[in-house]
Every structure is written in C-alpha cells, then in structure tokens.
Amino acid sequence: MPIANAFLTPAQFDREYFYEMATASCPACHTFQIVDQPDPRQMFHEHYAFFTRSSKRMVAHFADYAVWVADQFLKEADPFVVEIGCNDGAMLENFAKRSIRHLGIEPSANVAAEAERHGVRTKVAFFGMQAAREVREGNGPADAIIAANVICHIPDINEIARGVGHLLADRGVFVFEEPYLGAMIEKGSYDQIYDEHVFIFSAHSVHNAFQPHGLELIDVVPQATHGGSMRYVLAKQGAYEPAPAVRQLLAREQELGLNDPATYDAFRERCERSRKALVGLVRSLRAEGKRVVGYAATSKSTTVLNYCGLGPADIEFISDTTPLKQGKFTPGTHIPVRPHEDFSANFPDYAVLFAWNHEAEIMEKETKFMDSGGKWIKFVPEVAVS
Ligand code: TYD
C-alpha cells in the first residue's frame, strides 16, 4: 500500500513509497493494528493533505465535543486544555473563543499554521514524553487532554500513555475519539485500515493499553462520525468512578466476538467478497460505456482503490474539495483528483461515494447530480447502487 494521503504528481510516480499493510489482532491485549508501520515522518509533515475544516458537519461536531468537555470537566478556575493533533484548529478554536487556556500539539506545520490563523496556539511537535514535559513546564498540568482521530495514528502507544500521565492534572481527563473496531466489524468498513490508523481501537484495547500506566477508562460514548466512532474518557486511576457504560461496552464487545480470532477470518472473507462485487460492478458499467467518477479523495479511498486494483481506466477522476489534492493523482492507483466544479460541470453516470461517512452532508448538497439521473455506488456495508 502507498501512504493514504500521499497524493502525487506524475513526476513522482516512479519513486512512490510503498509498505506492507498487514493487519493483526493481538490475542493478549486485543489491539487490532497494522503490523508494519510506515515512518510517521512519511505521513505527518508540512504538506499534510487532510484539513478538518473540509467537512462542515465535522466542524459542528468538534464544536459540540468542545462544549461537552468544557461542561463536564472544566469546572475549576482557569483550566488548561491540550489537544494532541489539533490539525487546523477546528476543535481548539472553540476553547480559544471562550478565552480558555489551550495549546495544540501538531506535527504537520501546514495545518498548524492554519490553526494559528484561527487564533489557536500551537506547538509543532509529535506528542510524547518530551513534548509533555515542555508543555507542563511552560503551562502547568492539563485539566483536559483531548484528541480526535489522532491517538490511533501514533504507533508508540506507551509513549502517549507516559506523556499523558505526566501532563495530566490529578483530576484531569484524557478524552479521545477514534473509528471504533466494533463499527468496522459490523459494517465491513475495511477502508478504515490505512497507514495513519495504526490501531482501530475497542474498549478492551484502550483499557489494556492505558491501565498499566495508571490511566483508567471511566467513560465511553458512541459517536456517529467517521462511520462509527467511540469517545473514550480516561483519568488517573481512582480519580473518578467509572460510568456503567464502560462495563456494558466491554460486555458487548465479548458478544460481538471482537476478541475472537474467528471474527477476523470472517471479516477478511467479507472484504474479499466486497472487492469482487465492487470491481465487478464498476467494470460492467464501464463495459456499457458509463462514466464512473469518485466522490471525495479520502484517505480511506486509497485502501479501497489499491485493494481492489481500480485505476484511471475504471474511474475517470475523483472530485475533491481540498485544494492541496486537486491536480494531483491518487496514491498507488494514479487516478486524477479534480475540483468539485469539474464534477458539477459535467455530471457522470455514477459516482463512487468514497466519503460514505459524510453521506448525509453530501446527499443534501448533491441533489442536482441525482436529479440529472446520476447514481451513487456505495460499498459500505455492502456494494450497492442507489
Ligand atoms: P473524510 O472522510 O473526512 O476523510 P478521510 O478518509 O481522509 O479521513 O473526508 C475528507 C475528504 O473528503 C477531503 O479530501 C475532502 C473530501 N470531501 C469532499 O470532497 N466533498 C465533501 O462534501 C466532503 C464532506 C468531503
């Protein structure tokens, strides 16, 4: 697999970086993860292509997330909030606006600069013990350390746990949300697996990863974002009484078979069936002379396209609203990425909905495509045309 967000120019085609994307589930600690992790510096740098603000609904979601954290946990005077991987500041901005002391720790300088433009204080760094020490020395302990779709990006989870343990105030909370393993297994959304998602977490794996570092899982809150996510709340051991939802989710994961190897064998077979169905559908439409384009050059689409072996002969182009991706080509499969205007100017017969997690937002704004007779190709939970 190539790096999911490494959109490239033709001059770079012959020196593209590939790695082996094999997944495994640990029978001892129940992490579901990719085995060989590419070097994080290949992914998070000054040309990082993902901007949180590309989805209006996600911006609204992060505003709600910020209010939820502030209302539940920031009751003391002059609280301090740290976000790990603040991207363009879509979440921290909500604290900045309320004049709450905050700091975003973000390794990708280009997105951090965007956060600064929105009044968010940032530090360009990877989060770990060293960053935690520097931040604590400069600002005191954090009352909340928050993150979204980031903790699963970091291969050295023990380093995160040590850093969080060092930076957190005694009654502080560590809150993060990520795509949820239970949702991936239920929906067959294998496209959640790509380089940035080193781990697809469950309550079991989060508990097992952080508990040895004295951090206790005190709450879990399911989220609809990213096709099914989970918000995890941790605190220093014994600081809070864990909510009943934690025990309930742990029990539910046993029922779902998340800790049973047979579940992953069945999942693999489902992925293979999905690939066969998607390739068969797209190629038969192309054989009939239909135009098929992709909608949104998501990170997830890199997994789908490379796993299925779909290229520019199958998919004419992918429409995407991110300027940094436009004019470039998809990693590994080299399908052109074009601005959304190219999609609206000449609607195709079919559009593969790569941003299926933003379906509601997209259906709301693409009524003209559907009125023109355009159809969507979906692949989660099953390959289907609608
Ligand atoms: P998302 O599913 O959040 O991305 P990822 O799989 O990378 O985590 O989708 C973000 C990408 O989708 C981004 O490149 C912008 C694009 N996009 C559109 O082009 N149009 C849209 O309406 C939406 C919601 C996203």
Side-chain angles (χ1 to χ4, degrees), residues 115-192:
E116 291 275 348
R117 273 195 284 282
H118 286 87
V120 168
R121 268 181 76 216
T122 62
K123 173 182 174 72
V124 176
F126 282 97
F127 183 81
M129 197 54 178
Q130 191 191 334
R133 274 203 196 96
E134 288 166 11
V135 173
R136 190 174 173 129
E137 265 162 37
N139 306 270
D143 299 287
I145 301 177
I146 58 177
N149 310 309
V150 163
I151 299 305
C152 71
H153 290 185
I154 305 170
D156 193 348
I157 193 164
N158 292 307
E159 178 68 9
I160 294 295
R162 281 190 291 270
V164 166
H166 180 77
L167 181 55
L168 210 57
D170 287 344
R171 292 270 301 162
V173 286
F174 174 39
V175 189
F176 66 96
E177 60 180 41
E178 317 275 326
Y180 178 52
L181 183 65
M184 184 182 87
I185 294 295
E186 281 186 318
K187 294 183 181 179
S189 45
Y190 68 89
D191 57 347
Q192 290 294 357

Side-chain angles (χ1 to χ4, degrees), residues 224-238:
T225 48
H226 284 290
S229 297
M230 190 63 66
R231 182 176 298 168
Y232 304 96
V233 185
L234 295 104
K236 291 197 171 166
Q237 191 73 40

Side-chain angles (χ1 to χ4, degrees), residues 53-72:
R53 290 173 203 273
S54 64
S55 163
K56 278 202 183 114
R57 291 227 175 170
M58 287 308 286
V59 171
H61 171 75
F62 290 129
D64 293 345
Y65 184 158
V67 169
W68 188 85
V69 169
D71 288 355
Q72 301 244 351

Side-chain angles (χ1 to χ4, degrees), residues 30-153:
H30 304 309
T31 54
F32 179 91
Q33 65 178 93
I34 54 175
V35 183
D36 292 328
Q37 291 114 28
D39 182 347
R41 283 167 301 192
Q42 292 277 357
M43 299 177 259
F44 309 113
H45 42 55
E46 67 281 13
H47 303 297
Y48 187 54
F50 180 84
F51 288 74
T52 304
R53 290 173 203 273
S54 64
S55 163
K56 278 202 183 114
R57 291 227 175 170
M58 287 308 286
V59 171
H61 171 75
F62 290 129
D64 293 345
Y65 184 158
V67 169
W68 188 85
V69 169
D71 288 355
Q72 301 244 351
F73 301 110
L74 301 182
K75 293 178 183 155
E76 303 294 320
D78 190 28
F80 176 47
V81 180
V82 171
E83 183 176 359
I84 302 176
C86 70
N87 197 274
D88 56 18
M91 171 120 75
L92 273 187
E93 179 185 26
N94 299 288
F95 295 96
K97 278 187 199 147
R98 296 164 91 180
S99 302
I100 294 175
R101 281 195 303 132
H102 65 274
L103 183 65
I105 306 189
E106 171 55 61
S108 303
N110 63 328
V111 290
E114 189 62 23
E116 291 275 348
R117 273 195 284 282
H118 286 87
V120 168
R121 268 181 76 216
T122 62
K123 173 182 174 72
V124 176
F126 282 97
F127 183 81
M129 197 54 178
Q130 191 191 334
R133 274 203 196 96
E134 288 166 11
V135 173
R136 190 174 173 129
E137 265 162 37
N139 306 270
D143 299 287
I145 301 177
I146 58 177
N149 310 309
V150 163
I151 299 305
C152 71
H153 290 185

Side-chain angles (χ1 to χ4, degrees), residues 5 7 49-51 54-56 58 191-192 194 196-197 226 295-301 319-322 325 340 354-358 361-362 365-366:
N5 267 310
F7 293 88
F50 180 84
F51 288 74
S54 64
S55 163
K56 278 202 183 114
M58 287 308 286
D191 57 347
Q192 290 294 357
Y194 55 91
E196 293 179 19
H197 291 176
H226 284 290
Y295 194 95
T298 58
S299 321
K300 297 182 290 292
S301 69
S319 146
D320 197 281
T321 53
T322 312
K325 296 183 186 178
H340 181 257
F354 287 118
W356 56 270
N357 47 314
H358 298 292
E361 175 172 353
I362 293 168
K365 60 185 180 189
E366 295 299 352

